Structures are given as C-alpha cells and as structure tokens.
Amino acid sequence: MAESSTTTKIRRKEDASLLSGRGRYADDLPVPVGTLYAHVVRSPHAHADIVRIDARRALAHDGVWAVLTGEDVRKLSDPFLAAVKTPVQQWSLAVERVRYVGEPAALVVAESRYVAEDAAELVEIEYAPLPAVIDPVAACAKSAPLLHPQAGTNEVSVREFRYGDTAAAFARADRRIAMTTTFPRLSFTPIECYVVVARHNAAGGSYDVTANFQGPFSMHPVMARALRVKGPKLRLRIPPDSGGSFGIKLSVFPYIVLMALAARVTGRPVKWVEDRIEHLVAASSGPNRVTQIEAALTNDGCVLALRLDQLEDYGAFLRAPMPGPLYRMQGAVTGAYDIAHVDVINRVVLTNKMPASLIRGFGGPQLYLALERLMQRIAVELDLDPLEVIRRNLIAGEKFPYRAAAGALYDSGDYARAVEIATGDGRLDELKRRRAAARAQGRRYGIGFAAIVEPAMSNMGYLSTLMSKEAREKAGPKSGAVSMATVNIDPLGAVTVTADVTVQGQSHETVLAQIVAKALGLRPDDVEVVLEMDTAKDQWSIAAGTYSSRFASGTAVAAHMAAVQMREKLKAIAAKQLNVLPADVELSGGKIRSRSNPDNALPFGRVAATSHWSPGLLPESMAPALSETAAWTPQELEPPSRDDRINTSLTYGFVFDMCGVEIDPVSYQVRVDRYVSMHDAGRILNVTIAGGQIRGSFAQGVAAALYEEFAYNEEGAFLTGTFADYLVPTVSEIPEVEILHYESPSPLTPLGAKGLAEGNCMSTPACIANAIADALGVADVTLPATPRRIHALLERAGATGKR
Amino acid sequence: MRAVKGDQKTRIALTLNGRKLAAEAEPRLLLSDFLRHGLGATGTHVGCEHGVCGACTVLIDGVAVRSCLTLAVQAEGREVRTVESLAAPDGALNPLQAAFRDHHALQCGFCTPGILMSFTDFLARNPQPSEAQIREVLSGHLCRCTGYANIVEAIKEVASSSHAPRSEG
Amino acid sequence: MKPRPFDYVRPDTVEEVLALLAEHGDEARILAGGQSLIPMLNLRLIEAAVLIDISRLAELDTIRSDGGALEVGAAVTQNKLMAWPDLARDFALLAAGLPFVGHFQTRNKGTVCGSIAHADPSSELPLLLAMYAGEVVLRSQRGTRAVPAEDFHKDMLTTAREADELVVTVRFPHPSDRRVAFREIARRHGDFAIIAVAAAAGANGAVTLGVGGMAGRPMTRAIAARDAASAADAIGQWAEELEGYDDLHASAAMRRDMLRKLAANVVAEVAQ
C-alpha cells in the first residue's frame, strides 16, 4: 500500500512548456517538405443515395492534386472491422449512400487548406434524398427507413440478460415503480480538433501517420486491416501534447485511414486539420439512450429487483469499439445499491445521425440518469425522504469486496460513511434551509442527490458479453487489460519513463515522475517522462491509450512495478559494491546506501553507471541494461461467465453528490445554488491533480445537464453547427463545487488508487435532474434542461404566469 | 492606399514579440494561420475560427483580440505579442504564468495561451480587478479541462499582488 | 474554415473609401472590427469581392459630444466607447448596455457602428440606438444623409444603407431621461440575447421601453407607467403585438413571456 506522502502538492512537469507556448501539439509539428493539405467534402443530407460525383472542375482548379471519392476508397481499402458482426459496412468515405449530415463524401487534396476549400466548392455531388430517421424509438419501427438495407433492421443488436430471479422478486414485491429516461447526444468537444499527417512509402508498402489519436490501440489493427497492410506497415505516432480528448479523439481513426489513402494516391505527405464546424457536425458524439427502468419494491423503499430496457442510438454506423457504452457498465448495472436481481435488455439502434463513440463517462451518465431518477421517483411515490431511499439500498460497508448481481467485483468502499460525511457538517441542513426559505417566497428550489459507482480500467473482455455464450466459446475468451511502462537509466543516472498512455492533459508526466521517483529515492524533477507514442518502437497492447480511467489503476501501477524492478536491480548491483546484502540496501535522497550503515553509500548515478560502463561487474545472471519494463494485468478481469456475469472494470470508486437548484422565473434557466461532491477514489495519488480532474468532470456534467446537446430536426438537419449554438459553458455558467474525499484504498492494486475523472460526468447530470424534478414537482425531466424545456414543463403545469 | 488583389501574395511585415518579421501572404490569410505557419509562432492555438473559443487570442498594439477574426494583412506594421513573449529569456515564468502553474489552472494547456494574453492586456489596464471583472473577461474563453475555478484563483492571486504581469516585449 | 479569396484595400481617407464603394457597390464589404464579418467569411456564408478596411482611418476613430449628441465614428471600438470618461454620467443607458455586447476580447476590436450596420435583431447596439432615438450618418459620393434609427433598421440584417454608402458615424442624442435600466437574457454570458430589454424614464414619468430579439429589428414603445398593473397591461399587449419568433433557444411564446416579465422588472426599476 502506498503511503500518503504522494499526496503532497507538487508542481506539474508539463506546465512550464505549456504556459510558454512551447507545447508540441499535432498541428505544431513540422511536416515534410511537399506536404499537401486536405479538406473533406461533407454530405448536406441526412440520408441520400449518391447518384454521381463530378470532380472535373475541382481537379482543374489551380493547386489541386486529387479528389478522392467513395469509389476510390472502396478500391484501395477494406471496410472497418466492427466489434459487432452485422452486414453494416463503413469506409473512410461514404460509398454509394450518405447516412448523416456531415458524412465525408469526398476528399480534396491541394497545395494549401485554403485552396482545398475553394476546390471543395467545385466538387459536384448529385444526391437522391431518402427519408431519414432520427428518433431511436421510431427507428425500431418496422416501417422506419432502413439505414443499411442489407441488415434488414435498424436495431442491429438485441441481447437479454437475467441475473438472479427477477421475476420472482417482482412477484413478491409490494410495489413497482417504472419510468423512462432519455439521455441526450453531446460531445465534450476538445478545443484542439483532429489533426492527421500521413505519409505513404510506395516502395515499402507502408504508411507512417502522425495523429492526435488517444487510443485504445485495439483500433490499430482496425486501421491496418482497412489499409490492407500488416500492423508494422502502419506506423502510428502520437504527438507529445494533445489539446484535450475526453474520449473524442478515438474517432479520428477513419481520417487516419483516409489521409493515408490520400498520401498513397498523391504520392505526397497529406495533412488534415479538422475545423470546428466539421468537428461539431461529424467528429463524434456520445450515444443517446432511452431507458425504461422498473423497480420491484417493498413498501419501505427497498429495491428487490430491477428491470432495464436500454435502447442506445449509435447514429449511422456501429464503429469499433462500439457499443461500448452499453456494456461498459454491465457488471455494475445495479450501481451503488445492494440489488440481487436484475434483468437487462440491451438494444443497439442506428439512426441518421453522426456515429457515436467514446466519451468521458462512457455509459455511466446514461445508466445513472435512469437509476438515480428512479430512486428519486421511488421516494416521491412512496412519500419517503429521497436520501433515505438511497441509504436503505446502499451496499453495506461490511459487504466489501462485493460481487454485484451482474458480475462486477466492487473492491472496496464504505458508501454509507461517505454519504454521512457529505451530508454532515450542516451541509444538508443548509440545503434544506435554503430550499425552505426560497419556497416560502414562492421561488422554485429543489434538492437532488445521486449515488454512483465509478468504474476504472476496463476489462477488455466486457464487450464480448454482447455475444451469446456459444459465440463467445467459439471466438475464444477475451479478458484482462494490459498496462505497460518502462523505466530507463542513462550512463549518468538520469531516469526516463515511457508508458502506454497518450497525453491529453491529465498530468500523467507529473504523476509517473512522482511514482518512479519515490520508488528510486529520487526527486520527481530527477525523472523525465516521455509520453509521445510510436507504435513502431514503444511498448503497447490493445489496451494502450488514455480512456476508461485506466491510468491510476493501470499504467500508474505498471510504472510503479517497473520502478520497483529497477530498484531491486540497483540494490543488487550496489550490494556488491557496498559489500552488504541486497536486503540491507536502500535508495534514498539520491543515494544508494546500506540501511544499517548509512555512511556506506554510493551516489545513485554511480551505481547506474556500472551497468553501462562495466557490465562485467554486475552480479551474475543479471541482464546488463538498465531498462525495466513491467506489464500488469489484474487477474480479477476475467472473461464473461457462462451466465453472462462480467467484472467490467478493475476498480470501483464511489461518488455521492447533492445539490440545490433554483429555477429562474424570468429566464427559465436552472441555477445551481450549492453543489457538494464526495469522492471515494481509493488512495489519492496527487490531491491537486485529483481536484483538477474532478472540477473538469463536474463542469462537463453541468454542461450535459443544462447546456450541451447535438440537436437535429426531424428531417435530420443538424442545428448546432457552431459554438454559438452548441453551448459549451463559460466560467459564468459553471457553479462552485465543494469537493470532499473519503479514501478506501483498493486492495487490488499496489497503489490503492482508483479512477476519479469520470465520476461527475456520471453523477452530475442525474443529481441536477433530480433537483429540477424536486423544484418543479415533475417526473419527466429531459436533459439538457434548457430554458426552452423548463418553460415547456411549466406551461404544461400552467405555471408560467398569465399568458 | 494599400491594395492587394485576392490571388496575389504580398509581403507582410510586423513586429512579433519585439522582433521585426515578414512573410508572404494572400489577403485572406487569417492572422492565426500567419503567426503559426508563416512566422512559426505555434504557441497561439486555433480552436474554432469563429471567434467564440478564444484560444487564438493575441495582443495587437497591446490590445487582446481574436487572431482568427483578424486578417494577417490587418496586422501589417503592428506590434503583435503572443504567449511566447511572456516568460523571461531564461525561461522563468512571469507572475501570471507562475500563478497558473501554482494553482493548477491548466490541464491540456491548449486554451491557456489565449487566456494568458487576454489577461496580459486586461490586467495592464486594470491591475486590481474584482472577481466579477475577472470572470467577465474569462467568459470570453472556453476551457474544457479545468472547470475554470483554478483559473479564476490564479488570476485573483496576480490581481491581488502588487505587480501586474510584466509588459515588456 | 478559411475564407474565399477577396481583394483587400486599406484606403487612407474617407474620400477613397467612398470612391471604392462607388466603384464596387455591393461587391464590397466594409471591414471595421470584423467581429461579425470575418466569422461569416470564414464560414463562407457571404460573398465579398473586395474588403475595404477602415479600421486605421483616424478621422473615423473619434468620439465627440457637442452637448446635443454623442457622435461615434465608424472606427471606434466598443471598448473605446465604454472607456469614454463621461459615458456613465451622460449616457447611462449606453454604459449599462455596452457590457452585454460580446466579450471583452471582441469589444476590443468590434466597432459600435459595425454592430449597428450589421443589424442583428438581438444585438444590443441597435437596441441602444433605438432607445436614444439616434441616427445613423451615411456618406457616399452622392452626399451625406442622417437616417433615424427606426428607419435605418428595417429587418434582420437589413438596413437603409445603400450599396455605395458608408456609415461614418452614429449619433446618440443627449438624453433627458432620469433613470435607465438594461437587462437581457442569454443562454450564456456574452451570447446574443434571447431578448434584451431597455427602459428609460423621463422627468414626466413617461417610460420608454425597448426590446431586441422579438422582431427583425429592435422595437421601442412609450408606456404610461402610472401603476404596475397598467404598465403590465400595456406590456402584455405589446408582447402580443410583437409575437416574437421561434429559434433553437426560445419559442415565440417564451419570448413573449420573458418580455412581459423583464419589461415589468425594468419599468419598476426606473419608476422608483
């Protein structure tokens, strides 16, 4: 178990460069002489057949090198492999048909981006519009327009799961309470858009691509297969800095393939920098979900069983690694509650919207909106205190480690204690006082709660839960999640760390330096961390990348292990030179010394030098190089069981939120008055960085609750195509949050740390929705709770004042 | 009268961070692109190219403006300052930069240069602003990582200390 | 998102500007602050063969108050007007409304005249000009004319400016109002308003109300605010007449509702 000296405040290694304009983001890097620039021609139609593409005028434009169409792409590449086997095919450009507004239909390559955009206006594409379907429920109807006629349905995957004896629990229940929730479409739109620079070497038949891809690297084989090359022939490099990701930068992958093809066609390096308009209309979205949820209850509010019917809308294509969000929470579908019986139906539907993919929270926000809204409804309908309903159903502290009904192994926690702390010190009393005072004045004020389990480090096998057990047996087991890190020491004792993560602002350099320095008795400043990635030279597995909060439970552990391996090696080397037993050696303060006689010491660098300069002096059987790589995969991440139980993640943190909101009677804005967020993320690795991650996640949770939504009209036109319509909150819209910590270290990792950066994306939308429901006395709260929606709710209640 | 045809490249000279520089550009070239790809000053970032996100904010004659809403030719002969000018030549951070580091006011750092330049202008004009004024100016920037709270704290610290950020350069 | 090609001209005098406008007519666009123009060019939403950059014309970068009116030249930025020393004392409603215009960074470059000439129905400066019953001074080689605000703003993004005319100044007459108020509702701070409401109360107790975001142009009305109930009736009637419109952020009904409440608030504020 790590000691808490790692929680001291330290300065980030990343900051000096980033604050001085010396970052190295993808668009900052030099490109080869002769690089061309691409611009994507996009569909203005939600659904249409491509009748004809005439690129002659564009090709005649000065400075234009090539125009690629779906036909070129079909000739030169294969459709992307998908996680779910369906007859749906997708290439990097639309082939024969477009299925969402913004879908890439052609690519212009020219001497500059400006010229490419000029020529794009000259590409003539004749479309034959088709009826579009936007609503996920409508898309399931037999009469709905089919996006992929060869699939025969838009509902391309349906799986039913039974955990426990739900029917019996419902039969014996005093009450049943049901509701339907809809989680909206949104993205967390990093401020840096996608960037790809691709080169093709015709002689070697290889591609060399730099892109701000975030992982997981399970997508690398998908890209290589699409390009019809073996993995090593697609060298993918990730720049050292990235301007945010939040899951979104996985979906640069089709453009990696597209630009690689453009480089092949033109014989020149091709660069593409996505602009904001492209990003909003087509980059990526979280999936929207319609959940029907029902609880079997005792009269005192104990949940005996749950039924969930989750219909998730992935837009026009089901791209790998989708439908991840529908399955990432599968093992933990009962959330923070001790519910032994649960039935789940998972449905995947396709509609004429941009394809959905990774997004921070990844399935959690959708699940918890349903589950936590249900808990609030239970309180209302049974006339109980909503907090009391939560308390009665929380998993008791003595039950940890706790095996949830659907298979998750919750490693540690004391949820009731965390709730008690959060609501204590007068915090809840203050909220209630403020609500009472507001209501006494006729104002609309409500209190909301949310209690959620935050998973981290995904089991790479969870998606196979969507296959039947027979299919799983045929395909072979999938499980685990490898994390890798390497510690190197140079001839003068300087330490360098590399690891299988992509940088995107989470302070990985700082934390890895901290962890490795601690193991080696050095200062964090003594450790260099190099996190740019190169698939040709760096260690990686399919699990590599930065997503699903895998850093604290995964890569950080691997770095710790590599550092410990290195420490043991240095001890053995030093023992010989100090004439003591290895067990008597310690590393401290930049020295390697005898524990029993600290004066018997060698500088760290001196010992390190031995391996470089005098490998012959090393202890027998020791490999000479000072390079240690550790790979860590926890055994708890097992494949799905025969009865579909799955431990979807390694660690499970806990978040309890409560808030007070007030509805402005004039503007219909929801104002968050007070917000408290309690986190149990196990051992906190760095309290400053943890706070930063939580605040960022909270801001995105508020955004999802109140501001951000990709809006389409019924015909599929995209209505939120600029930052003037797609509302990213500014400082004025983000309320204060009081952050509390309770630490239940994970027994499953050497550092005891869990993930914490996704929790508020999961809890905050539900918590605010519950507070709005309380403020307005309504059951049906649609997110984001925009003034327009609040006004409509009040109109229905006849409460907007005189007309 | 300065006149440039649309298809004609012209030499645009300006002072960037105290150094006189020039490069060729068409009239339609945005200042953001000119700085980054014409003059090699990649510290200024591009986030939306329609004036909302603020990542590309630079100083022209000391005044904070969106470089994506400025043509390169408009900056001709002007003094342009970007984030690269803030630290001392030996790399030492100025008080505003240091406050950002000390308050963990940045994560990915992509929006940060624009915010630093806005407040370089604003604090020079208003060395001791209220928190409300700080928030008002900060609302001209989008940050997706931090939730803004630590940025406000960092700027408050600079504003409450006696010195405004260094304005040479 | 890069603009289409255009010719760029930076004249040294207003006379040269007028000659260029006479030559190019509606093929030309005036570039002052560019805070509305350049986004539209970047998005390729509008055509412009020639951009005429007036931002460096010192003769247009002037603020004059002759006692009768405040004259703001076409190159004056919004922040420059905000910083004009006597603004809060002499033009309290302008001082109250200007902080709602965009953000600090866009006000540094965006001009007062440019916003008025752009004529977005929910932007603040056209509303403020209407509230002062101000006028827009237009010059061309044919001559100079002053157009009252209510005639200048015709509809959404549509004004009385002829293709060869330059907005050289806008004039805000010195107000006789004693008390003023400005409020707006926007989704986010600094966004275009859903609706913006201004009120000014004269010495005789008459209140002038103005609203942006309800119609294709800012609208004003004199309200007899004898008591809250009669003011509310008058406002309610006005809201029904204006109807409002639907967009992503608000329905017409919601706009009417917001107008009723916000206008009642500002009337109460100035009637104290």
Side-chain angles (χ1 to χ4, degrees):
Chain A
M1 202 104 348
E3 298 116 66
S4 43
S5 61
T6 47
T7 63
T8 46
K9 281 199 173 193
I10 56 164
R11 288 174 167 175
R12 290 207 321 161
K13 287 180 91 70
E14 294 86 347
D15 285 348
S17 296
L18 299 183
L19 285 161
S20 305
R22 309 293 172 190
R24 288 180 296 152
Y25 300 89
D27 188 33
D28 301 343
L29 303 179
V31 294
V33 173
T35 296
L36 302 174
Y37 294 84
H39 179 67
V40 181
V41 183
R42 294 175 183 277
S43 167
H45 296 284
H47 202 184
D49 282 325
I50 297 173
V51 178
R52 187 180 60 89
I53 300 182
D54 184 348
R56 283 172 297 181
R57 286 176 63 217
L59 285 166
H61 193 72
D62 275 355
V64 174
W65 279 64
V67 176
L68 275 72
T69 68
E71 288 311 308
D72 300 312
V73 159
R74 177 149 66 178
K75 275 183 214 127
L76 298 172
S77 65
D78 287 332
F80 293 113
L81 293 174
V84 182
K85 293 225 178 339
T86 66
V88 173
Q89 292 190 320
Q90 191 195 8
W91 280 268
S92 56
L93 285 176
V95 170
E96 294 178 358
R97 185 185 270 212
V98 290
R99 293 178 176 85
Y100 62 99
V101 169
E103 181 169 1
L107 185 78
V108 179
V109 187
E111 64 186 19
S112 82
R113 171 63 181 238
Y114 288 73
V115 172
E117 289 196 28
D118 296 343
E121 296 189 301
L122 303 174
V123 177
E124 293 166 20
I125 307 181
E126 188 185 325
Y127 294 100
L130 297 165
V133 61
I134 296 304
D135 180 74
V137 176
C140 295
K142 288 237 174 338
S143 58
L146 288 179
L147 273 87
H148 303 274
Q150 70 278 23
T153 175
N154 294 322
E155 207 177 346
V156 294
S157 168
V158 179
R159 271 280 275 150
E160 295 189 25
F161 302 90
R162 296 179 194 285
Y163 303 108
D165 193 348
T166 305
F170 269 84
R172 72 169 188 272
D174 300 329
R175 291 282 301 265
R176 297 171 167 205
I177 292 176
M179 72 184 307
T180 301
T181 58
T182 60
F183 196 86
R185 279 201 156 227
L186 71 150
S187 156
F188 294 132
T189 61
I191 303 297
E192 181 199 41
C193 294
Y194 296 159
V195 179
V196 180
V197 183
R199 278 181 281 184
H200 177 245
N201 175 353
S206 61
Y207 297 95
D208 187 339
V209 183
T210 300
N212 49 6
F213 175 70
Q214 66 147 51
F217 282 71
S218 55
M219 296 308 295
H220 185 273
V222 173
M223 292 183 265
R225 284 282 292 272
L227 288 168
R228 298 176 179 158
V229 293
K230 291 214 162 84
K233 296 285 190 187
L234 171 60
R235 182 173 188 173
L236 184 58
R237 308 181 203 226
I238 317 298
D241 293 307
S242 171
S245 187
F246 322 113
I248 306 306
K249 282 179 179 158
L250 167 116
S251 301
V252 68
F253 82 86
Y255 298 104
I256 291 175
V257 169
L258 181 58
M259 301 311 149
L261 294 175
R264 178 172 165 187
V265 167
T266 58
R268 286 285 196 97
V270 173
K271 179 171 180 176
W272 173 68
V273 179
E274 181 192 46
D275 70 35
R276 181 59 56 188
I277 305 308
E278 299 181 274
H279 188 87
L280 288 171
V281 72
S284 192
S285 167
N288 50 308
R289 185 187 294 182
V290 180
T291 306
Q292 294 176 50
I293 187 166
E294 184 175 21
L297 293 154
T298 65
N299 279 328
D300 58 0
C302 287
V303 181
L304 304 172
L306 283 178
R307 284 186 179 133
L308 290 100
D309 181 334
Q310 308 186 107
L311 174 67
E312 191 134 280
D313 175 359
Y314 283 89
F317 296 95
L318 193 62
R319 309 202 281 216
M322 297 301 104
L326 196 49
Y327 285 87
R328 188 248 190 139
M329 304 299 296
Q330 181 80 1
V333 72
T334 44
Y337 305 117
D338 194 358
I339 302 171
H341 312 283
V342 56
D343 285 357
V344 182
I345 304 175
N346 286 338
R347 306 174 196 269
V348 172
V349 67
L350 302 184
T351 61
N352 293 106
K353 302 200 283 287
M354 84 175 97
S357 191
L358 259 63
I359 184 167
R360 192 177 192 174
F362 203 53
Q366 291 89 338
L367 171 67
Y368 292 124
L369 182 69
L371 194 51
E372 296 306 292
R373 286 289 302 117
L374 178 70
M375 297 307 275
Q376 195 261 357
R377 277 314 295 169
I378 290 169
V380 171
E381 296 214 6
L382 301 184
D383 199 20
L384 296 169
D385 175 7
L387 185 60
E388 194 47 40
V389 173
I390 289 173
R391 281 202 185 108
R392 280 178 197 172
N393 289 289
L394 286 176
I395 298 158
E398 64 271 17
K399 289 200 171 183
F400 288 90
Y402 172 87
R403 183 68 75 171
L409 179 66
Y410 293 176
D411 46 338
S412 61
D414 188 343
Y415 300 169
R417 179 76 188 122
V419 169
E420 189 185 326
I421 294 168
T423 53
D425 279 342
R427 289 186 197 89
L428 180 57
D429 292 342
E430 169 70 4
L431 272 186
K432 287 181 172 171
R433 198 190 57 71
R434 297 176 77 85
R435 179 173 63 182
R439 288 182 175 177
Q441 294 172 12
R443 286 147 48 202
R444 294 189 176 88
Y445 193 108
I447 296 175
F449 304 96
I452 67 124
V453 166
E454 178 179 3
M457 193 173 174
S458 288
N459 184 342
M460 298 310 279
Y462 74 72
L463 207 46
S464 58
T465 318
L466 71 75
M467 296 155 55
S468 67
K469 68 173 188 293
E470 294 76 20
R472 285 200 298 265
E473 276 159 14
K474 208 171 140 206
K478 289 201 173 77
S479 67
V482 180
S483 298
M484 300 173 87
T486 299
V487 175
N488 286 303
I489 304 186
D490 89 345
L492 298 177
V495 178
T496 306
V497 182
T498 61
D500 65 352
V501 288
T502 53
V503 169
Q504 41 192 252
Q506 289 102 326
S507 318
H508 292 160
E509 287 180 41
T510 301
V511 179
L512 290 176
Q514 222 181 296
I515 288 168
V516 171
K518 187 166 149 50
L520 299 178
L522 300 171
R523 296 164 304 166
D525 283 349
D526 298 330
V527 178
E528 287 295 315
V529 182
V530 181
L531 296 177
E532 54 197 277
M533 274 276 273
D534 179 343
T535 56
K537 298 173 76 177
D538 289 322
Q539 69 279 51
W540 60 278
S541 74
I542 58 158
T546 298
Y547 63 95
S548 90
S549 300
R550 66 182 284 273
F551 177 75
S553 319
T555 302
V557 174
H560 171 75
M561 289 167 58
V564 168
Q565 285 167 216
M566 182 62 80
R567 181 181 71 201
E568 295 311 308
K569 194 164 184 175
L570 290 167
K571 278 184 183 177
I573 297 169
K576 198 170 163 188
Q577 299 179 17
L578 296 169
N579 275 321
V580 297
L581 290 170
D584 186 40
V585 179
E586 66 177 8
L587 285 71
S588 179
K591 295 219 183 313
I592 302 181
R593 66 192 184 193
S594 159
R595 208 184 291 269
S596 53
N597 175 18
D599 290 341
N600 184 13
L602 289 163
F604 183 89
R606 175 74 181 275
V607 180
T610 310
S611 180
H612 281 278
W613 301 109
S614 310
L617 294 180
L618 296 180
E620 272 177 44
S621 81
M622 177 180 281
L626 280 184
S627 177
E628 288 296 322
T629 296
W632 140 259
T633 185
Q635 61 188 19
E636 289 78 10
L637 296 183
E638 297 169 320
S641 68
R642 289 181 59 83
D643 57 355
D644 296 323
R645 285 170 210 268
I646 173 70
N647 185 21
T648 27
S649 301
L650 176 63
T651 61
Y652 297 87
F654 176 69
V655 181
F656 174 76
D657 285 1
M658 63 177 184
C659 73
V661 307
E662 183 169 356
I663 314 295
D664 186 295
V666 181
S667 69
Y668 300 103
Q669 301 258 23
V670 176
R671 184 180 65 84
V672 177
D673 178 46
R674 284 279 196 282
Y675 203 105
V676 177
S677 192
M678 158 59 87
H679 288 250
D680 182 351
R683 185 77 76 207
I684 300 294
L685 295 178
N686 181 311
V687 73
T688 306
I689 289 165
Q693 291 298 311
I694 291 169
R695 282 181 197 286
S697 178
F698 170 69
Q700 293 178 338
V702 171
L706 300 177
Y707 293 97
E708 293 187 34
E709 180 176 23
F710 285 142
Y712 294 81
N713 72 10
E714 284 178 10
E715 289 76 44
F718 188 64
L719 306 178
T720 46
T722 72
F723 269 162
D725 294 314
Y726 185 81
L727 302 180
V728 177
T730 75
V731 65
S732 306
E733 285 75 49
I734 300 300
E736 287 287 302
V737 53
E738 181 181 1
I739 297 169
L740 302 168
H741 292 290
Y742 179 76
E743 294 188 41
S744 308
S746 173
L748 304 183
T749 80
L751 298 173
K754 307 185 182 187
L756 52 71
E758 294 187 87
N760 286 96
C761 288
M762 303 180 181
S763 59
T764 298
C767 185
I768 291 177
N770 280 340
I772 295 168
D774 183 48
L776 299 179
V778 297
D780 190 13
V781 177
T782 303
L783 299 185
T786 60
R788 216 185 148 131
R789 289 197 171 112
I790 297 287
H791 179 261
L793 277 175
L794 288 168
E795 284 248 291
R796 223 175 297 154
T800 52
K802 67 181 172 178
R803 299 181 55 82
Chain B
M1 187 161 74
R2 179 80 156 110
V4 194
K5 285 286 174 200
D7 55 0
Q8 177 191 346
K9 281 196 173 177
T10 187
R11 187 173 168 78
I12 295 171
L14 50 74
T15 305
L16 176 63
N17 300 328
R19 182 184 289 270
K20 288 205 163 101
L21 293 173
E24 299 272 309
E26 292 174 21
R28 63 167 160 167
L29 192 79
L30 302 176
L31 179 61
S32 43
D33 285 337
F34 185 68
L35 291 172
R36 291 178 49 77
H37 303 299
L39 302 181
T42 54
T44 299
H45 297 150
V46 173
C48 76
E49 293 183 312
H50 55 287
V52 181
C53 81
C56 68
T57 304
V58 302
L59 304 190
I60 299 181
D61 292 345
V63 172
V65 300
R66 312 289 206 213
S67 64
C68 77
L69 300 188
T70 307
L71 304 174
V73 66
Q74 286 184 283
E76 190 169 31
R78 303 293 204 199
E79 299 256 354
V80 178
R81 272 192 77 192
T82 62
V83 66
E84 286 94 339
S85 71
L86 297 181
D90 67 355
L93 302 183
N94 82 4
L96 182 63
Q97 293 170 302
F100 269 60
R101 179 190 59 196
D102 294 345
H103 288 272
H104 187 30
L106 66 154
Q107 289 179 25
C108 83
F110 198 79
C111 69
T112 314
I115 298 174
L116 293 173
M117 297 321 288
S118 272
F119 281 93
T120 299
D121 171 13
F122 181 72
L123 292 174
R125 284 192 246 175
N126 306 275
Q128 296 192 318
S130 66
E131 179 168 335
Q133 286 175 303
I134 290 170
R135 289 174 171 272
E136 146 75 22
V137 173
L138 185 56
S139 75
H141 293 272
L142 299 181
C143 168
R144 301 255 48 181
C145 293
T146 64
Y148 303 106
N150 290 348
I151 301 176
V152 174
E153 290 308 307
I155 297 164
K156 273 165 67 179
E157 182 192 281
V158 178
S160 64
S161 64
S162 54
H163 41 242
R166 209 174 35 234
S167 56
E168 87 244 7
Chain C
M1 267 187 78
K2 312 295 183 187
R4 297 187 186 110
F6 46 74
D7 296 346
Y8 171 87
V9 192
R10 190 164 63 223
D12 299 319
T13 64
V14 171
E15 294 307 324
E16 287 176 357
V17 176
L18 301 181
L20 287 162
L21 282 171
E23 180 188 347
H24 296 287
D26 55 15
E27 301 259 283
R29 297 266 178 178
I30 296 292
L31 172 60
Q35 302 301 285
S36 302
L37 178 64
I38 295 187
M40 292 192 298
L41 290 171
N42 287 359
L43 290 159
R44 300 192 176 214
L45 290 175
I46 56 167
E47 295 284 342
V50 187
L51 290 198
I52 304 170
D53 183 354
I54 62 166
S55 62
R56 296 192 188 190
L57 287 176
E59 58 188 303
L60 296 177
D61 191 14
T62 57
I63 301 173
R64 282 198 203 91
S65 174
D66 61 5
L70 180 70
E71 284 198 5
V72 181
V76 174
T77 64
Q78 294 143 9
N79 269 350
K80 179 169 176 170
L81 180 59
M82 267 177 85
W84 189 65
D86 299 331
L87 194 74
R89 189 193 67 198
D90 296 344
F91 294 89
L93 187 59
L94 261 178
L98 275 169
F100 289 92
V101 179
H103 293 102
F104 168 75
Q105 298 82 354
T106 59
R107 291 194 301 268
N108 271 340
K109 200 141 182 296
T111 61
V112 174
C113 289
S115 175
I116 286 166
H118 181 56
D120 187 293
S122 59
S123 69
E124 295 81 6
L125 276 160
L127 170 60
L128 290 165
L129 188 72
M131 283 298 291
Y132 282 92
E135 53 189 25
V136 177
V137 180
L138 294 159
R139 264 184 74 188
S140 69
Q141 288 187 328
R142 296 177 286 121
T144 301
R145 60 181 180 133
V147 180
E150 60 182 318
D151 298 331
F152 182 76
H153 285 119
K154 290 184 170 305
D155 204 346
M156 189 175 290
L157 309 184
T158 309
T159 69
R161 187 183 79 87
E162 298 290 337
D164 64 344
E165 286 181 313
L166 173 70
V167 173
V168 283
T169 53
V170 292
R171 294 166 51 87
F172 297 90
H174 215 289
S176 55
D177 311 313
R178 290 199 170 152
R179 284 180 303 277
V180 298
F182 191 98
R183 292 280 178 273
E184 75 171 48
I185 295 173
R187 287 299 313 279
R188 289 174 305 184
H189 185 80
D191 279 355
F192 278 116
I194 293 175
I195 73 164
V197 172
N204 56 2
V207 174
T208 303
L209 267 179
V211 63
M214 284 296 287
R217 61 192 186 90
M219 305 299 284
T220 59
R221 172 166 290 201
I223 298 278
R226 286 183 307 278
D227 55 71
S230 65
D233 282 348
I235 293 165
Q237 195 188 339
W238 192 37
E240 294 307 312
E241 284 171 29
L242 288 175
E243 290 183 27
Y245 53 87
D246 263 351
D247 65 14
L248 186 64
H249 302 306
S251 64
M254 198 172 152
R255 283 191 154 84
R256 292 194 294 274
D257 178 80
M258 288 174 165
L259 173 58
R260 281 192 293 267
K261 291 170 177 168
L262 213 53
N265 289 354
V266 291
V267 167
E269 211 174 312
V270 298
Q272 281 161 14

